Short mmCIF file of all heavy atoms in Angstrom, two decimals:
data_model
loop_
_atom_site.label_atom_id
_atom_site.label_comp_id
_atom_site.label_asym_id
_atom_site.label_seq_id
_atom_site.Cartn_x
_atom_site.Cartn_y
_atom_site.Cartn_z
N TYR A 32 -7.18 -1.11 15.08
CA TYR A 32 -7.90 -0.43 14.01
C TYR A 32 -7.35 -0.80 12.64
O TYR A 32 -6.14 -0.97 12.48
CB TYR A 32 -7.78 1.09 14.21
CG TYR A 32 -8.76 1.89 13.40
CD1 TYR A 32 -10.09 1.96 13.78
CD2 TYR A 32 -8.36 2.57 12.25
CE1 TYR A 32 -11.01 2.69 13.04
CE2 TYR A 32 -9.26 3.30 11.50
CZ TYR A 32 -10.59 3.36 11.90
OH TYR A 32 -11.49 4.08 11.16
N GLY A 33 -8.23 -0.92 11.65
CA GLY A 33 -7.80 -1.06 10.25
C GLY A 33 -7.46 -2.49 9.87
O GLY A 33 -7.58 -3.42 10.67
N ASN A 34 -7.06 -2.64 8.62
CA ASN A 34 -6.78 -3.97 8.05
C ASN A 34 -5.40 -4.08 7.43
O ASN A 34 -5.21 -4.85 6.49
CB ASN A 34 -7.82 -4.27 6.94
CG ASN A 34 -9.17 -4.55 7.54
OD1 ASN A 34 -9.42 -5.63 8.05
ND2 ASN A 34 -10.04 -3.57 7.49
N GLY A 35 -4.46 -3.28 7.89
CA GLY A 35 -3.11 -3.34 7.30
C GLY A 35 -2.45 -4.67 7.58
O GLY A 35 -2.73 -5.31 8.60
N HIS A 36 -1.55 -5.08 6.68
CA HIS A 36 -0.85 -6.35 6.84
C HIS A 36 0.49 -6.21 7.55
O HIS A 36 1.18 -7.20 7.78
CB HIS A 36 -0.54 -6.96 5.47
CG HIS A 36 -1.74 -7.40 4.69
ND1 HIS A 36 -2.97 -7.61 5.26
CD2 HIS A 36 -1.88 -7.71 3.38
CE1 HIS A 36 -3.82 -8.00 4.34
NE2 HIS A 36 -3.19 -8.07 3.18
N ILE A 37 0.91 -4.97 7.83
CA ILE A 37 2.30 -4.80 8.29
C ILE A 37 2.40 -4.21 9.70
O ILE A 37 2.94 -4.84 10.60
CB ILE A 37 3.08 -3.90 7.28
CG1 ILE A 37 3.01 -4.49 5.86
CG2 ILE A 37 4.54 -3.72 7.73
CD1 ILE A 37 3.66 -5.84 5.66
N ASN A 38 1.89 -2.99 9.88
CA ASN A 38 2.04 -2.34 11.20
C ASN A 38 0.84 -2.68 12.09
O ASN A 38 -0.16 -3.19 11.62
CB ASN A 38 2.13 -0.82 11.01
CG ASN A 38 3.35 -0.43 10.19
OD1 ASN A 38 4.46 -0.81 10.52
ND2 ASN A 38 3.13 0.29 9.09
N THR A 40 -2.00 -1.01 14.10
CA THR A 40 -2.64 0.32 14.17
C THR A 40 -3.69 0.33 15.27
O THR A 40 -4.46 -0.63 15.42
CB THR A 40 -3.29 0.63 12.80
OG1 THR A 40 -2.28 0.57 11.79
CG2 THR A 40 -3.94 2.01 12.78
N ILE A 56 -4.45 8.36 15.67
CA ILE A 56 -3.97 7.04 15.22
C ILE A 56 -2.59 6.81 15.85
O ILE A 56 -1.72 7.69 15.79
CB ILE A 56 -3.84 7.00 13.67
CG1 ILE A 56 -5.22 6.97 13.01
CG2 ILE A 56 -2.96 5.85 13.20
CD1 ILE A 56 -5.92 5.61 12.99
N GLN A 58 0.57 3.97 15.79
CA GLN A 58 1.04 2.78 15.06
C GLN A 58 2.36 2.26 15.63
O GLN A 58 3.31 3.02 15.80
CB GLN A 58 1.23 3.10 13.57
CG GLN A 58 -0.11 3.19 12.84
CD GLN A 58 0.03 3.48 11.37
OE1 GLN A 58 0.89 4.25 10.96
NE2 GLN A 58 -0.82 2.86 10.56
N LEU A 98 -1.27 13.53 5.86
CA LEU A 98 -1.11 13.07 7.25
C LEU A 98 -0.41 14.15 8.07
O LEU A 98 0.46 14.87 7.56
CB LEU A 98 -0.28 11.79 7.28
CG LEU A 98 -0.97 10.52 6.79
CD1 LEU A 98 0.04 9.38 6.70
CD2 LEU A 98 -2.13 10.14 7.72
N TYR A 121 -0.50 9.93 14.51
CA TYR A 121 -1.05 10.89 13.54
C TYR A 121 -2.37 11.41 14.06
O TYR A 121 -3.09 10.70 14.79
CB TYR A 121 -1.36 10.19 12.20
CG TYR A 121 -0.20 9.63 11.43
CD1 TYR A 121 -0.13 8.25 11.15
CD2 TYR A 121 0.81 10.46 10.93
CE1 TYR A 121 0.92 7.72 10.41
CE2 TYR A 121 1.86 9.93 10.18
CZ TYR A 121 1.90 8.56 9.92
OH TYR A 121 2.93 8.04 9.18
N ASP A 122 -2.74 12.61 13.61
CA ASP A 122 -4.11 13.07 13.80
C ASP A 122 -5.03 12.12 13.05
O ASP A 122 -4.71 11.72 11.92
CB ASP A 122 -4.29 14.46 13.15
CG ASP A 122 -4.18 15.57 14.18
OD1 ASP A 122 -4.57 15.34 15.34
OD2 ASP A 122 -3.69 16.64 13.80
N PHE A 123 -6.14 11.78 13.65
CA PHE A 123 -7.14 10.97 12.95
C PHE A 123 -7.90 11.90 12.01
O PHE A 123 -8.38 12.95 12.43
CB PHE A 123 -8.10 10.34 13.96
CG PHE A 123 -8.99 9.29 13.36
CD1 PHE A 123 -8.70 7.95 13.51
CD2 PHE A 123 -10.12 9.66 12.63
CE1 PHE A 123 -9.53 6.98 12.95
CE2 PHE A 123 -10.95 8.69 12.05
CZ PHE A 123 -10.64 7.35 12.22
N ILE A 124 -7.95 11.55 10.74
CA ILE A 124 -8.68 12.41 9.79
C ILE A 124 -10.15 11.98 9.80
O ILE A 124 -10.49 10.88 9.37
CB ILE A 124 -8.04 12.37 8.40
CG1 ILE A 124 -6.57 12.83 8.53
CG2 ILE A 124 -8.81 13.26 7.42
CD1 ILE A 124 -5.74 12.76 7.29
N THR A 127 -14.07 10.43 7.25
CA THR A 127 -13.53 9.73 6.08
C THR A 127 -13.82 8.24 6.24
O THR A 127 -14.11 7.79 7.36
CB THR A 127 -12.00 9.90 5.97
OG1 THR A 127 -11.40 9.40 7.17
CG2 THR A 127 -11.61 11.34 5.74
N THR A 129 -12.36 4.21 4.81
CA THR A 129 -11.44 3.43 3.97
C THR A 129 -12.20 2.18 3.55
O THR A 129 -12.90 1.57 4.36
CB THR A 129 -10.17 3.00 4.73
OG1 THR A 129 -10.46 2.81 6.09
CG2 THR A 129 -9.04 3.94 4.55
N ASN A 231 -7.34 0.63 0.37
CA ASN A 231 -7.46 1.02 1.79
C ASN A 231 -6.31 1.91 2.27
O ASN A 231 -6.19 2.19 3.44
CB ASN A 231 -7.65 -0.21 2.70
CG ASN A 231 -6.47 -1.16 2.67
OD1 ASN A 231 -5.39 -0.82 2.18
ND2 ASN A 231 -6.66 -2.36 3.19
N ASN A 232 -5.49 2.37 1.32
CA ASN A 232 -4.47 3.35 1.68
C ASN A 232 -4.85 4.75 1.19
O ASN A 232 -3.99 5.62 1.01
CB ASN A 232 -3.10 2.93 1.14
CG ASN A 232 -2.50 1.83 2.00
OD1 ASN A 232 -2.83 1.73 3.19
ND2 ASN A 232 -1.66 1.00 1.42
N LEU A 234 -7.95 7.72 2.07
CA LEU A 234 -9.15 8.05 2.85
C LEU A 234 -10.12 8.78 1.93
O LEU A 234 -9.75 9.74 1.26
CB LEU A 234 -8.79 8.97 4.03
CG LEU A 234 -7.73 8.45 5.01
CD1 LEU A 234 -7.45 9.49 6.09
CD2 LEU A 234 -8.18 7.14 5.66
N ILE A 246 -2.64 7.78 2.43
CA ILE A 246 -1.97 7.45 3.70
C ILE A 246 -0.96 6.31 3.49
O ILE A 246 -0.65 5.97 2.35
CB ILE A 246 -3.01 7.09 4.79
CG1 ILE A 246 -3.84 5.87 4.36
CG2 ILE A 246 -3.90 8.28 5.09
CD1 ILE A 246 -4.62 5.24 5.51
N ASP A 247 -0.47 5.75 4.58
CA ASP A 247 0.49 4.63 4.55
C ASP A 247 1.71 4.99 3.69
O ASP A 247 1.99 4.35 2.66
CB ASP A 247 -0.21 3.37 4.02
CG ASP A 247 0.47 2.10 4.52
OD1 ASP A 247 1.61 2.23 5.03
OD2 ASP A 247 -0.11 1.02 4.39
N ASP A 249 4.85 4.71 4.23
CA ASP A 249 6.11 4.02 4.58
C ASP A 249 6.97 3.68 3.37
O ASP A 249 8.18 3.59 3.47
CB ASP A 249 5.80 2.71 5.31
CG ASP A 249 5.13 2.96 6.64
OD1 ASP A 249 5.44 3.97 7.29
OD2 ASP A 249 4.29 2.13 7.04
P1 LIG B 1 -0.56 -0.56 7.40
O1 LIG B 1 0.80 -0.09 7.03
O2 LIG B 1 -0.53 -1.61 8.42
O3 LIG B 1 -1.38 -0.90 6.19
P2 LIG B 1 -2.00 2.01 7.50
O4 LIG B 1 -1.14 3.21 7.72
O5 LIG B 1 -2.49 1.76 6.14
O6 LIG B 1 -1.27 0.72 8.11
O7 LIG B 1 -3.24 2.15 8.50
C1 LIG B 1 -4.20 1.13 8.66
C2 LIG B 1 -5.62 1.72 8.56
O8 LIG B 1 -5.80 2.72 9.58
C3 LIG B 1 -5.92 2.45 7.25
O9 LIG B 1 -6.37 1.56 6.25
C4 LIG B 1 -6.99 3.45 7.68
O10 LIG B 1 -8.26 2.83 7.73
C5 LIG B 1 -6.61 3.79 9.11
N1 LIG B 1 -5.83 5.07 9.21
C6 LIG B 1 -4.49 5.19 9.19
N2 LIG B 1 -4.12 6.48 9.35
C7 LIG B 1 -5.27 7.19 9.50
C8 LIG B 1 -5.56 8.58 9.78
N3 LIG B 1 -4.59 9.47 9.92
N4 LIG B 1 -6.87 8.95 9.89
C9 LIG B 1 -7.87 8.03 9.78
N5 LIG B 1 -7.66 6.71 9.55
C10 LIG B 1 -6.38 6.29 9.42
#
Side-chain angles (χ1 to χ4, degrees):
Y32 195 76
N34 288 283
H36 292 343
I37 304 296
N38 298 306
T40 303
I56 288 281
Q58 284 181 322
L98 287 172
Y121 295 119
D122 262 328
F123 191 100
I124 302 176
T127 58
T129 31
N231 63 14
N232 284 333
L234 304 178
I246 60 165
D247 205 346
D249 295 326

